[in-house]
Amino acid sequence: MLKGPDEIRRQIQYNERVRHAALLPSPMIERLVLQIIGGWSTLVEEVRFLRYNVANDPDGKEPHPNADNLHRNIRKLGLLANLRLPGDNVTAACQFVRQMRNDLAHMLYIDSITGDEPNRRLAFLRSGEMSYSGNGWVQHERKRVEVTEEDLRKALSEIKWLMDCCFAIRKVGWGISRYEEDEPIDFLHRLLPWWFEEWGDAACRGPLTLREIRAIRD
């Protein structure tokens, strides 16, 4: 248990440094695999943390989000925070990372690493289905999976983007309700990891307003 505000602040700063480093793609492809597995778990815990905050039940236990429905959880959190999210992008990112992480987490062993950085290919075997062969033996399938270094880096990048989305839900969706709907807020564009075309050219437009970033409801 942390004892005081200084110790809590130091722990928070340490956690942020470690998380930042964990989301920088390693030149070692084996370590990159571990970064994706750990990054997905970190993302799941971040969504769980946000859901616990929404529930506002100190004595309750927030279950781990179903990994297959993580995109729905993030989109729902955005809606609860009245923050407009690029929902299709969130769904696509979650599904891409989920499939990648699912294969990597069931890896049995690496078969080969071919090519040169940054265009290497990683081949590994993962467990598959079991079946009876009909003569008293049970067959356990070994599935060979190949992934490119480019896709591994993309998966880690998508994890970072999804975590940035969760940060925006917490900091923007919940943290700026004191502003008027049409009041320009000059720091909004720095906190949002997405941009909608109707907002104009990000390089030259003025500050966004709360009305522009609010969730669009049917």
Side-chain angles (χ1 to χ4, degrees), residues 131-193:
S131 61
Y132 285 102
S133 64
N135 57 3
W137 290 90
V138 175
Q139 295 179 334
H140 191 179
E141 179 189 12
R142 295 290 189 267
K143 180 181 178 182
R144 191 174 189 272
V145 179
E146 285 193 13
V147 294
T148 64
E149 186 172 4
E150 180 181 6
D151 280 346
L152 290 171
R153 289 174 177 269
K154 178 184 176 182
L156 190 63
S157 176
E158 296 283 40
I159 290 171
K160 182 183 184 304
W161 182 77
L162 289 165
M163 291 182 68
D164 288 344
C165 290
C166 291
F167 178 82
I169 290 171
R170 179 158 51 93
K171 287 294 185 181
V172 178
W174 299 346
I176 59 174
S177 57
R178 66 184 183 276
Y179 291 92
E180 298 294 332
E181 287 293 298
D182 293 314
E183 179 180 354
I185 307 174
D186 58 6
F187 60 82
L188 273 181
H189 68 282
R190 297 195 300 270
L191 296 178
L192 298 177

Side-chain angles (χ1 to χ4, degrees), residues 34-74:
L34 296 177
Q35 286 180 289
I36 294 168
I37 295 173
W40 178 260
S41 297
T42 303
L43 175 63
V44 169
E45 285 300 321
E46 181 69 17
V47 173
R48 184 176 175 229
F49 170 80
L50 293 178
R51 292 176 68 193
Y52 186 86
N53 272 272
V54 170
N56 195 24
D57 182 9
D59 298 323
K61 290 185 177 180
E62 177 60 43
H64 282 78
N66 184 315
D68 291 330
N69 293 323
L70 198 66
H71 61 287
R72 295 190 182 93
N73 286 314
I74 295 175

